[in-house]
Coordinates of all heavy atoms in Angstrom, one line a residue:
Y38 N 6.1 -11.2 12.7 CA 5.6 -12.5 13.3 C 4.2 -12.7 13.0 O 3.6 -13.6 13.6 CB 5.9 -12.6 14.8 CG 7.4 -12.7 15.1 CD1 8.1 -11.5 15.5 CD2 8.1 -13.8 14.9 CE1 9.5 -11.6 15.7 CE2 9.4 -13.9 15.1 CZ 10.1 -12.8 15.5 OH 11.5 -12.9 15.8
G39 N 3.6 -12.0 12.1 CA 2.2 -12.2 11.7 C 1.2 -11.5 12.5 O 0.0 -11.8 12.4
N40 N 1.6 -10.7 13.5 CA 0.6 -10.0 14.3 C 0.4 -8.6 13.8 O 1.1 -7.7 14.1 CB 1.2 -9.9 15.8 CG 1.4 -11.2 16.4 OD1 0.7 -12.1 16.2 ND2 2.5 -11.3 17.1
Y41 N -0.6 -8.5 12.9 CA -0.8 -7.2 12.3 C -1.4 -6.1 13.2 O -1.3 -5.0 13.0 CB -1.7 -7.4 11.1 CG -1.1 -8.2 10.0 CD1 -1.3 -9.6 9.9 CD2 -0.2 -7.6 9.2 CE1 -0.6 -10.3 9.0 CE2 0.5 -8.4 8.2 CZ 0.3 -9.7 8.1 OH 0.9 -10.5 7.2
R42 N -2.1 -6.6 14.2 CA -2.7 -5.6 15.1 C -1.9 -5.4 16.4 O -1.9 -4.3 17.0 CB -4.1 -6.2 15.5 CG -5.1 -5.1 15.5 CD -6.5 -5.8 15.9 NE -7.3 -4.7 16.4 CZ -8.2 -4.2 15.7 NH1 -8.5 -4.6 14.5 NH2 -8.9 -3.2 16.2
C43 N -1.3 -6.5 16.9 CA -0.6 -6.4 18.2 C 0.9 -6.4 18.1 O 1.4 -7.0 17.2 CB -1.0 -7.7 19.0 SG -2.8 -7.7 19.5
S44 N 1.5 -5.7 19.0 CA 2.9 -5.6 19.1 C 3.5 -6.9 19.7 O 2.7 -7.8 20.2 CB 3.4 -4.4 19.9 OG 3.0 -4.7 21.3
L45 N 4.8 -7.1 19.7 CA 5.3 -8.3 20.3 C 5.0 -8.4 21.8 O 5.0 -9.4 22.4 CB 6.8 -8.3 20.1 CG 7.3 -8.8 18.7 CD1 8.8 -8.8 18.7 CD2 6.7 -10.1 18.3
L46 N 4.8 -7.2 22.4 CA 4.4 -7.2 23.8 C 2.9 -7.5 24.1 O 2.5 -7.6 25.2 CB 4.7 -5.8 24.4 CG 6.2 -5.5 24.5 CD1 6.4 -4.1 25.0 CD2 7.0 -6.5 25.4
G47 N 2.2 -7.7 23.0 CA 0.8 -8.1 23.1 C -0.2 -6.9 23.1 O -1.4 -7.2 23.4
Y48 N 0.3 -5.7 22.9 CA -0.6 -4.6 22.9 C -1.3 -4.4 21.6 O -0.6 -4.4 20.5 CB 0.1 -3.3 23.3 CG 0.6 -3.3 24.7 CD1 1.9 -3.6 25.0 CD2 -0.3 -2.9 25.7 CE1 2.3 -3.5 26.4 CE2 0.1 -2.9 27.0 CZ 1.4 -3.2 27.3 OH 1.8 -3.2 28.7
D49 N -2.6 -4.2 21.6 CA -3.3 -3.8 20.3 C -3.0 -2.4 20.1 O -3.6 -1.5 20.8 CB -4.8 -4.1 20.5 CG -5.6 -3.8 19.3 OD1 -5.1 -3.0 18.4 OD2 -6.8 -4.2 19.2
L50 N -2.2 -2.1 19.1 CA -1.7 -0.7 18.9 C -2.8 0.2 18.4 O -2.8 1.4 18.6 CB -0.5 -0.7 18.0 CG 0.7 -1.4 18.5 CD1 1.8 -1.4 17.5 CD2 1.2 -0.9 19.8
N51 N -3.8 -0.3 17.8 CA -5.0 0.5 17.4 C -5.7 1.0 18.6 O -6.4 2.1 18.5 CB -5.9 -0.3 16.5 CG -5.3 -0.6 15.2 OD1 -4.6 0.1 14.6 ND2 -5.6 -1.8 14.6
R52 N -5.7 0.3 19.7 CA -6.4 0.8 20.9 C -5.5 1.7 21.8 O -6.0 2.1 22.8 CB -6.8 -0.4 21.7 CG -7.8 -1.3 20.9 CD -9.1 -0.7 20.6 NE -9.9 -1.5 19.8 CZ -10.1 -1.3 18.5 NH1 -9.6 -0.3 17.9 NH2 -10.9 -2.1 17.8
K53 N -4.2 1.8 21.4 CA -3.3 2.6 22.3 C -3.0 4.0 21.7 O -2.1 4.7 22.2 CB -2.0 1.8 22.5 CG -2.2 0.6 23.3 CD -2.7 0.9 24.7 CE -2.9 -0.4 25.5 NZ -3.4 -0.1 26.8
W54 N -3.6 4.4 20.6 CA -3.3 5.6 19.9 C -3.6 6.8 20.8 O -2.8 7.8 20.8 CB -4.1 5.7 18.6 CG -3.8 7.0 17.9 CD1 -4.6 8.1 17.8 CD2 -2.6 7.3 17.1 NE1 -4.0 9.1 17.1 CE2 -2.8 8.6 16.6 CE3 -1.5 6.6 16.8 CZ2 -1.8 9.2 15.8 CZ3 -0.5 7.2 16.0 CH2 -0.7 8.5 15.5
K55 N -4.6 6.8 21.6 CA -5.0 8.0 22.4 C -4.0 8.3 23.4 O -3.6 9.5 23.6 CB -6.4 7.8 23.0 CG -6.9 9.0 23.6 CD -8.4 8.8 24.1 CE -8.9 10.1 24.6 NZ -10.3 9.9 25.0
T56 N -3.5 7.3 24.1 CA -2.5 7.5 25.2 C -1.4 6.5 25.2 O -1.3 5.6 26.0 CB -3.2 7.5 26.6 OG1 -3.9 6.3 26.7 CG2 -4.1 8.7 26.8
P57 N -0.6 6.5 24.2 CA 0.5 5.5 24.1 C 1.6 5.7 25.2 O 1.9 6.8 25.6 CB 1.1 5.8 22.7 CG 0.9 7.2 22.5 CD -0.5 7.5 23.1
D58 N 2.1 4.6 25.6 CA 3.2 4.6 26.6 C 4.5 4.6 25.9 O 4.7 3.8 24.9 CB 3.1 3.4 27.5 CG 4.1 3.4 28.6 OD1 5.2 2.9 28.3 OD2 3.8 3.8 29.7
R59 N 5.4 5.4 26.3 CA 6.7 5.6 25.6 C 7.5 4.2 25.6 O 8.2 3.9 24.6 CB 7.5 6.7 26.3 CG 8.8 6.9 25.6 CD 9.6 8.0 26.3 NE 10.8 8.4 25.5 CZ 11.4 9.5 25.6 NH1 11.0 10.4 26.4 NH2 12.5 9.7 24.9
C60 N 7.4 3.5 26.6 CA 8.1 2.2 26.7 C 7.4 1.0 26.1 O 8.0 0.2 25.4 CB 8.4 1.8 28.2 SG 9.5 3.0 29.0
F61 N 6.1 1.0 26.2 CA 5.3 -0.2 25.7 C 4.7 0.0 24.3 O 4.4 -1.0 23.7 CB 4.2 -0.5 26.7 CG 4.7 -0.9 28.1 CD1 4.4 -0.2 29.2 CD2 5.5 -2.0 28.2 CE1 4.9 -0.5 30.4 CE2 6.0 -2.4 29.5 CZ 5.7 -1.6 30.6
Q62 N 4.5 1.2 23.9 CA 4.1 1.4 22.5 C 5.0 2.5 21.9 O 4.5 3.6 21.5 CB 2.6 1.9 22.4 CG 1.6 0.9 23.0 CD 1.4 1.1 24.5 OE1 1.4 2.2 25.0 NE2 1.1 0.0 25.2
P63 N 6.3 2.3 21.8 CA 7.2 3.4 21.3 C 6.9 3.9 19.9 O 7.1 5.1 19.7 CB 8.6 2.7 21.4 CG 8.3 1.3 21.3 CD 7.0 1.0 22.0
T64 N 6.5 3.1 19.0 CA 6.3 3.6 17.7 C 5.1 4.5 17.6 O 5.1 5.5 16.9 CB 6.1 2.4 16.6 OG1 5.0 1.6 17.1 CG2 7.4 1.6 16.5
I65 N 4.0 4.2 18.3 CA 2.9 5.0 18.4 C 3.2 6.3 19.1 O 2.9 7.4 18.7 CB 1.7 4.3 19.1 CG1 1.3 3.0 18.4 CG2 0.5 5.3 19.1 CD1 0.9 3.2 16.9
Y66 N 3.9 6.2 20.2 CA 4.3 7.4 21.0 C 5.1 8.4 20.2 O 4.8 9.5 20.1 CB 5.0 6.9 22.3 CG 5.5 8.1 23.1 CD1 4.7 8.7 24.1 CD2 6.8 8.6 22.9 CE1 5.2 9.8 24.8 CE2 7.3 9.7 23.7 CZ 6.4 10.3 24.6 OH 6.9 11.3 25.3
H67 N 6.1 7.8 19.5 CA 7.0 8.7 18.8 C 6.4 9.2 17.5 O 6.7 10.4 17.1 CB 8.4 8.0 18.5 CG 9.2 7.9 19.7 ND1 9.8 8.9 20.4 CD2 9.5 6.8 20.5 CE1 10.4 8.5 21.5 NE2 10.2 7.2 21.5
A68 N 5.5 8.5 16.9 CA 4.8 9.0 15.7 C 3.9 10.1 16.1 O 3.9 11.2 15.5 CB 3.9 7.9 15.1
K69 N 3.3 10.0 17.3 CA 2.4 11.1 17.8 C 3.2 12.3 18.1 O 2.8 13.4 17.8 CB 1.6 10.6 19.0 CG 0.4 11.4 19.3 CD -0.5 10.6 20.3 CE -1.7 11.5 20.6 NZ -2.5 10.9 21.6

Side-chain angles (χ1 to χ4, degrees):
Y38 291 102
N40 299 323
Y41 294 96
R42 223 184 157 103
C43 295
S44 68
L45 283 183
L46 295 174
Y48 290 101
D49 182 341
L50 298 178
N51 290 326
R52 302 293 175 253
K53 296 296 182 180
W54 180 259
K55 189 172 184 178
T56 56
D58 183 276
R59 185 178 186 160
C60 294
F61 297 117
Q62 300 92 32
T64 56
I65 303 299
Y66 177 86
H67 290 290
K69 201 167 176 181

